[in-house]
Amino acid sequence: MGGGSGGGRRSRVGAGAAETGVGGPLLPETQSGMSPPPTGGSNGRHQRQQEAVSSMESGGDVSGAATKRFTWKGPVIVLVFELLESIAFSGVALNLVVYLATVLHGSTAFNAAHVDTWNGTTFVVPVIGAFLADSYWGKYRTILASIVFYLVGLVLLTVSAAIPSLRPATACQVGQPCAPATKTQFSVFFAALYLTSVGTGGVKSALLPFGAEQYDDDAQRPERKQAFFSWFFAAINLGIFVAGTLVSWLEQNVSWALGFGIGTGCFFVAALAFVAGTPCYRVQMPTGSPLKDIIRVLVAAVRKRNVRMERDDGAAVLLHEDDDDGNGEQHRLSRTKGLRCLDKAAAIVVKAEQEGEWSLCTVSEVEGVKILVRMLPIWVTCVLYAASLGQMTTTFIQQGMAMDTRLGGRFKVPVASLVSVEVVFMLLWVVLHDAAIIPAARRLTGRPGGLTQLQRMGVGRFLVVLALGTAALVERRRLRGIHGGSGTMSIAWQVPQFVLVAGSDVFCGIAQLEFFYGEAPAAMRSICSAFSFLALSLGFYVNSLVVTLVAAVTKRPGWLAPDLNAGHLDYYFWLWTIISVANLLLYMVLAARYTPKQVAAAVEPMRSSSSDE
């Protein structure tokens, strides 16, 4: 979306006469259906912004030179970068509470509070980074700036673990209280930690949309960009798997400095590869603050709240739209039905040149705000879905701890390792998703992309219902075996629920990445992509709230008793199954009523329709 409305370009409007509005004469109807060229001080800036949007949407580079041809080099570098970055980040995040307890000797409450605070910061910072990427720096520069913070943080983290004076003495007898780290030692560690958090925020917000924008917007080959989202998702989880197995083992059994150093080395290689690939990239610059454009549309709609969108004789009001006579035409947003109150922001009630930028917006700008309003309810269901998925790392692990972890007689399976195994299941689901399911859906539906993004998100929400129901049935059988004297169930019974969760995450996780990127207005792709991380963060808070309420309502011993054999974890799983079913039904209603973004193939006359709802 552009900045202010104004001249320096023509404005194409719908046929018909505008009626008297909030205080101005009727705009005389012209045979051409075009309003006179507006003029004004802010108009040149808006024209340049629109031209930049055109260049950005068509894959042009910063300088507006000819569009670069698509090559696989850019996306491959981005995928390798994400894999190595995921190893570096997960190597810190997965073992953070262990490091605080065993190395810095923090108390249980201290460790839990600081881990939660850091996690919350890590998932909120991407929203800030996305705003900077979309409004000022651009995605490429945001990633470069984030790399600097990221590297400094990881290097300082490795140094703090390697230098003895920056950590407490490790000689501490088991069962005896240990002297905690000094203020200086804690300060160095947390400075490194939050520098890393700032760096990862910029990378998480900008890297995905940057990689996606390396592709052509080819309607005949949507599978190429769709495959990129799948492999980006796989790169994240493969990095988590490597960090959760190899790096975590090295940190806890060999040396924390070695583990952090491996993560630092991985990210350093990723940074070098990203910078070296600069000549291959399509670098696209922002066109101004999208937040300002959103506020402009809302302010203009409020100012014109008394304007009627058609006259008594049925003639439609003129609507304002840019006409750049250039590349931007094919990427202009078409007017959609619904949310008619926002359409008033584009209604011309006086001559266009007399309208200020806070009184008149383009149809494309109005449609951008409509998109955000329509995506918000879908995003709310993403929060509840993330909360349901969160059972995998909490109650599923607790359930496994109460089961027989022996396989093959003597071999014991670490309970938490099933989360890492789930990542393997996810990678298998990614291959199945791309190699079999989507091609089959493509043949059945005749659509190039097979299932739509909304349909795949629905499949993911359905699979998580099955996973939670399966967990409830397994727990019910486990409790019956315990109380009936038949013994403890094998942990292998948990495999089906982890397989279903993995499939759910693949269908919904990949589709959500595509949805928030693809549906977002061009100037807000980083911000909307960052909403996925915010949904994940809020999902953890919802999960904590439900646990607190269940504990308060069920009293002692309660469903979540310290001894699971005395509790009813199966009831808790059934509760989350019901919540997930309700969320699925809500999502189905919202998805059925959702109006996708519509890109105009060419600038057509804009007319208010009496059939709009």
Side-chain angles (χ1 to χ4, degrees):
M1 295 186 292
S5 64
R9 71 250 191 263
R10 293 192 300 276
S11 173
R12 192 180 296 273
V13 293
E19 59 184 337
T20 305
V22 188
L26 291 174
L27 176 68
E29 184 175 354
T30 62
Q31 291 182 345
S32 65
M34 297 172 61
S35 64
T39 59
S42 64
N43 299 332
R45 177 182 63 85
H46 185 65
Q47 180 185 10
R48 289 191 297 271
Q49 291 180 348
Q50 290 290 359
E51 292 170 351
V53 169
S54 299
S55 174
M56 179 178 69
E57 289 283 13
S58 59
D61 59 18
V62 182
S63 62
T67 302
K68 294 181 180 179
R69 295 186 60 183
F70 170 77
T71 67
W72 287 102
K73 293 181 181 179
V76 168
I77 292 173
V78 169
L79 291 174
V80 171
F81 183 98
E82 178 55 34
L83 170 63
L84 296 175
E85 185 273 336
S86 182
I87 294 174
F89 175 77
S90 301
V92 176
L94 295 179
N95 266 340
L96 180 57
V97 69
V98 178
Y99 186 85
L100 286 171
T102 60
V103 177
L104 299 184
H105 306 156
S107 66
T108 302
F110 176 90
N111 298 340
H114 281 278
V115 169
D116 288 340
T117 301
W118 184 75
N119 281 326
T121 303
T122 300
F123 286 108
V124 169
V125 170
V127 178
I128 301 173
F131 177 77
L132 293 173
D134 283 340
S135 303
Y136 302 106
W137 295 349
K139 301 174 185 64
Y140 176 76
R141 292 178 181 175
T142 300
I143 295 171
L144 285 183
S146 301
I147 285 174
V148 175
F149 285 98
Y150 217 142
L151 273 178
V152 172
L154 288 174
V155 169
L156 185 58
L157 200 65
T158 304
V159 170
S160 69
I163 298 178
S165 61
L166 294 179
R167 51 183 170 79
T170 56
C172 182
Q173 298 297 325
V174 177
Q176 295 182 356
C178 300
T182 64
K183 289 183 178 180
T184 300
Q185 292 168 341
F186 273 126
S187 297
V188 172
F189 176 76
F190 283 118
L193 203 60
Y194 280 96
L195 282 171
T196 303
S197 182
V198 171
T200 192
V203 169
K204 288 181 185 299
S205 63
L207 189 65
L208 173 64
F210 179 79
E213 287 172 356
Q214 305 305 309
Y215 289 82
D216 298 316
D217 289 329
D218 187 355
Q220 303 301 318
R221 299 288 303 275
E223 67 275 7
R224 293 204 306 186
K225 185 178 288 189
Q226 184 172 309
F228 170 78
F229 284 98
S230 297
W231 290 111
F232 190 92
F233 183 81
I236 294 174
N237 288 283
L238 182 58
I240 294 173
F241 176 75
V242 172
T245 53
L246 176 61
V247 177
S248 293
W249 186 87
L250 289 174
E251 288 172 345
Q252 296 187 40
N253 296 278
V254 180
S255 167
W256 285 96
L258 176 62
F260 290 155
I262 290 176
T264 303
C266 286
F267 190 78
F268 182 73
V269 172
L272 288 179
F274 182 81
V275 174
T278 298
C280 306
Y281 302 142
R282 294 174 175 179
V283 180
Q284 304 166 358
M285 294 303 294
T287 59
S289 173
L291 181 60
K292 178 184 176 183
D293 294 325
I294 295 172
I295 297 174
R296 283 181 55 246
V297 171
L298 298 177
V299 170
V302 171
R303 285 184 173 182
K304 296 179 177 179
R305 60 187 178 276
N306 295 324
V307 171
R308 291 188 299 166
M309 296 304 290
E310 65 177 33
R311 301 192 329 181
D312 294 335
D313 59 4
V317 67
L318 295 173
L319 299 179
H320 179 54
E321 183 56 283
D322 292 330
D323 182 7
D324 291 321
D325 287 338
N327 296 331
E329 291 184 356
Q330 60 181 337
H331 297 284
R332 191 165 293 119
L333 298 180
S334 299
R335 181 169 178 257
T336 58
K337 296 181 179 181
L339 298 173
R340 293 192 64 198
C341 58
L342 295 177
D343 288 333
K344 297 179 179 182
I348 302 177
V349 295
V350 295
K351 290 185 177 181
E353 64 265 26
Q354 298 177 6
E355 296 266 20
E357 68 169 333
W358 292 92
S359 298
L360 182 63
C361 303
T362 67
V363 171
S364 293
E365 291 169 343
V366 171
E367 287 301 315
V369 177
K370 285 186 179 182
I371 289 170
L372 297 180
V373 173
R374 287 167 178 154
M375 284 199 304
L376 184 60
I378 300 290
W379 177 78
V380 171
T381 68
C382 293
V383 175
L384 294 175
Y385 169 75
S388 300
L389 211 62
Q391 306 308 313
M392 178 185 64
T393 56
T394 53
T395 50
F396 281 16
I397 300 300
Q398 291 173 312
Q399 181 186 40
M401 293 173 65
M403 304 176 81
D404 185 359
T405 60
R406 291 174 299 175
L407 290 180
R410 303 178 65 179
F411 178 72
K412 285 190 175 183
V413 178
V415 176
S417 67
L418 283 183
V419 177
S420 297
V421 173
E422 191 263 349
V423 175
V424 176
F425 294 148
M426 288 174 64
L427 296 176
L428 295 176
W429 271 103
V430 167
V431 175
L432 182 65
H433 175 274
D434 285 356
I437 297 175
I438 294 302
R442 196 177 292 134
R443 290 191 295 269
L444 290 174
T445 63
R447 285 192 294 264
L451 298 175
T452 66
Q453 296 162 0
L454 291 173
Q455 287 171 339
R456 285 185 285 144
M457 289 164 67
V459 172
R461 284 160 170 75
F462 174 71
L463 288 177
V464 83
V465 170
L466 295 183
L468 291 167
T470 301
L473 292 174
V474 169
E475 181 64 14
R476 181 183 179 186
R477 188 180 187 281
R478 188 191 72 81
L479 289 174
R480 284 184 174 180
I482 291 294
H483 299 310
S486 58
T488 305
M489 285 178 62
S490 170
I491 196 172
W493 282 88
Q494 279 197 309
V495 171
Q497 66 202 54
F498 276 97
V499 171
L500 288 169
V501 166
S504 172
D505 207 4
V506 167
F507 270 95
C508 200
I510 296 173
Q512 282 181 184
L513 292 177
E514 294 182 43
F515 176 77
F516 286 114
Y517 171 84
E519 284 295 301
M524 295 191 65
R525 282 176 172 166
S526 295
I527 292 177
C528 291
S529 297
F531 283 171
S532 296
F533 298 104
L534 187 59
L536 179 64
S537 178
L538 294 179
F540 285 118
Y541 289 116
V542 171
N543 203 352
S544 298
L545 176 62
V546 173
V547 168
T548 303
L549 291 176
V550 167
V553 171
T554 59
K555 305 298 182 182
R556 291 185 178 182
W559 294 357
L560 301 174
D563 180 6
L564 291 184
N565 295 335
H568 269 292
L569 187 59
D570 55 333
Y571 292 172
Y572 184 75
F573 285 144
W574 284 124
L575 172 63
W576 270 108
T577 303
I578 294 172
I579 294 174
S580 298
V581 168
N583 190 46
L584 173 62
L585 294 176
L586 174 61
Y587 172 80
M588 291 173 65
V589 172
L590 295 173
R593 297 171 59 89
Y594 184 80
T595 302
K597 180 175 70 174
Q598 298 178 16
V599 179
V603 181
E604 299 178 355
M606 297 292 170
R607 178 188 293 272
S608 154
S609 173
S610 60
S611 64
D612 289 358
E613 298 177 355

